[in-house]
């Protein structure tokens, strides 16, 4: 259902790789709500991905940008304002990658070059995106910036590896930069902490099937889907959430406040 919540709003959406991507679903929902946007992803991901299909469906243009490159980001922001005909109202940072996870390196046996690469891509890129927008005065007042995160930033999930530290850093950047963006430009900055979701990045985590089934059984409302995340993001881009900022917002079916659920306890019961 469409409510026209984003009519007249313009934005940039990072991270749509394929139809499973949270950013893909978000782009579809933003389009349905009347928002216009530029799609962007790392040049290498575009060669692998199906982003053209999404661009066609949503009437969007694609500008490749490696989110760790200030030069690419500057070009992205300049070109986006040109294409969209003005300043930006919303930005989705939906980017994550750990080389240690990809290559099966344990948390206790890090290759620090890879750790650094993962931090740059998954967390520092968020600072770089915001700094580029800020310096170019590219955001409209009452604009909204959202990044996606996971609860391993607060609690231990052993196989989430160095991504846990990257997410803690990402959430901190949202608060720290959110202060300046709020004070100086009236722009809000939040992170959404999403349930485990079957996407390319999600499935890279060891034991993901067990992980997702466990979270589902623990959560009174079950796991939040990629579509649930897209809908929540639309609400944060809309004018209905104007003074929500510096928050880490859980979209997880209640998981983060659970101790244990009856379903999870069942195998341990004597009778
Ligand atoms: N899937 C989950 O279980 C889950 C749970 C909570 C949070 N998240 C977060 O959601 C976000 C989106 O991930 P997803 O699950 O949709 O997976 P995905 O694999 O579809 O998306 C990750 C995206 O990051 C992009 N990317 C990687 N390196 C980049 C770079 N240098 N520059 C620009 N883009 C780059 C990839 O090309 C890809 O499009 C990530 O931040 C992820 O950590 C995912």
């Amino acid at each position: 259902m469409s409510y026209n919540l984003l009519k007249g709003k313009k934005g940039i959406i990072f991270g749509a790789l394929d139809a499973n991507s949270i950013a893909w679903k978000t782009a579809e929902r933003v389009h349905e709500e009347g928002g216009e946007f530029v799609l962007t992803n790392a040049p290498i991901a575009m060669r692998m991905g199906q982003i053209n299909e999404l661009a066609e469906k949503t009437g969007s243009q694609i500008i490749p940008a490696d989110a760790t490159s200030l030069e690419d980001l500057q070009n992205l922001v300049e070109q986006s304002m040109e294409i969209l005909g003005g300043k930006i109202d919303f930005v989705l940072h939906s980017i994550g990658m750990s080389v240690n996870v990809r290559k099966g390196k344990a948390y206790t046996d890090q290759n620090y070059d890879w750790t650094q690469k993962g931090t740059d891509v998954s967390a520092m890129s968020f600072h770089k995106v915001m700094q580029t927008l800020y310096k170019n005065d590219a955001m409209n007042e009452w604009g909204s910036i959202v990044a996606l995160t996971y609860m391993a930033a607060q609690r231990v999930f052993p196989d989430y590896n160095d991504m846990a530290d990257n997410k803690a850093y990402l959430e901190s950047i949202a608060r720290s930069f959110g202060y300046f963006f709020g004070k100086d430009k009236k722009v809000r900055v939040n992170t959404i902490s999403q349930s485990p979701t079957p996407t390319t990045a999600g499935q890279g985590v060891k034991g993901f099937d067990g992980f997702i089934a466990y979270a589902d059984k623990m959560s009174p409302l079950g796991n939040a889907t990629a579509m649930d995340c897209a809908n929540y993001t639309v609400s944060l881009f809309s004018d209905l959430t104007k003074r929500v900022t510096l928050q880490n917002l859980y979209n997880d079916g209640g998981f983060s406040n659970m101790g244990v659920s009856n379903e999870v306890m069942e195998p341990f019961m004597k009778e």
Side-chain angles (χ1 to χ4, degrees):
M1 198 194 288
S2 168
Y3 309 89
N4 257 336
L5 283 174
L6 303 179
K7 196 158 183 256
K9 294 198 184 294
K10 300 163 195 300
I12 302 177
I13 296 182
F14 286 84
L17 180 67
D18 56 34
N20 294 323
S21 298
I22 298 170
W24 186 291
K25 298 274 191 293
T26 308
E28 289 180 334
R29 282 295 292 119
V30 168
H31 177 62
E32 279 170 18
E33 292 296 336
E36 282 173 65
F37 47 84
V38 160
L39 292 166
T40 182
N41 209 325
I44 173 130
M46 301 208 168
R47 283 200 291 277
M48 301 168 0
Q50 305 137 33
I51 197 166
N52 285 326
E53 195 189 304
L54 179 65
E56 218 165 279
K57 197 172 164 186
T58 58
S60 313
Q61 293 203 37
I62 306 167
I63 302 174
D66 176 344
T68 65
S69 157
L70 286 173
E71 205 185 328
D72 283 10
L73 291 173
Q74 179 64 32
N75 177 57
L76 169 68
V77 167
E78 276 172 19
Q79 277 205 50
S80 297
M81 287 201 287
E82 217 172 285
I83 290 167
L84 298 168
K87 290 196 193 184
I88 309 294
D89 300 294
F90 62 85
V91 175
L92 175 67
H93 178 286
S94 183
I95 299 172
M97 192 277 303
S98 157
V99 190
N100 287 302
V101 167
R102 267 202 194 167
K103 303 211 176 189
K105 268 277 193 207
Y107 188 72
T108 47
D109 182 30
Q110 297 279 285
N111 172 322
Y112 291 113
D113 289 337
W114 296 350
T115 309
Q116 238 164 6
K117 176 77 189 156
T119 303
D120 198 14
V121 170
S122 309
M124 213 182 302
S125 66
F126 191 38
H127 194 287
K128 290 177 177 175
V129 166
M130 287 198 282
Q131 185 166 292
T132 307
L133 292 163
Y134 184 91
K135 283 188 166 175
N136 284 278
D137 196 18
M139 294 295 295
N140 272 321
E141 281 195 358
W142 303 111
S144 174
I145 302 174
V146 171
L148 301 183
T149 186
Y150 182 58
M151 211 186 57
Q154 286 78 32
R155 310 229 176 130
V156 178
F157 293 84
D159 292 328
Y160 207 63
N161 208 315
D162 56 333
M163 276 306 288
D165 306 326
N166 293 336
K167 290 304 193 192
Y169 186 14
L170 177 89
E171 290 174 18
S172 178
I173 288 171
R175 288 185 292 271
S176 302
F177 219 122
Y179 170 80
F180 295 101
F181 245 133
K183 270 287 192 202
D184 301 343
K185 318 258 185 201
K186 288 196 170 63
V187 168
R188 57 205 193 273
V189 182
N190 296 288
T191 48
I192 296 178
S193 189
Q194 165 70 7
S195 292
T197 312
T199 62
T200 305
Q203 275 153 344
V205 177
K206 201 173 123 203
F208 188 76
D209 287 351
F211 202 45
I212 199 168
Y214 169 75
D216 199 44
K217 282 200 171 10
M218 272 292 270
S219 314
L221 294 181
N223 286 335
T225 63
M227 187 52 85
D228 291 326
C229 190
N231 283 324
Y232 197 12
T233 305
V234 163
S235 76
L236 287 174
F237 287 165
S238 81
D239 289 336
L240 300 178
T241 53
K242 269 174 126 169
R243 282 196 173 77
V244 179
T245 195
L246 312 186
Q247 302 300 315
N248 181 41
L249 302 161
Y250 290 100
N251 185 47
D252 67 354
F255 181 88
S256 47
N257 267 341
M258 289 298 294
V260 76
S261 68
N262 288 341
E263 286 102 311
V264 167
M265 223 162 36
E266 220 165 89
F268 301 98
M269 303 290 274
K270 292 224 167 74
E271 287 159 27

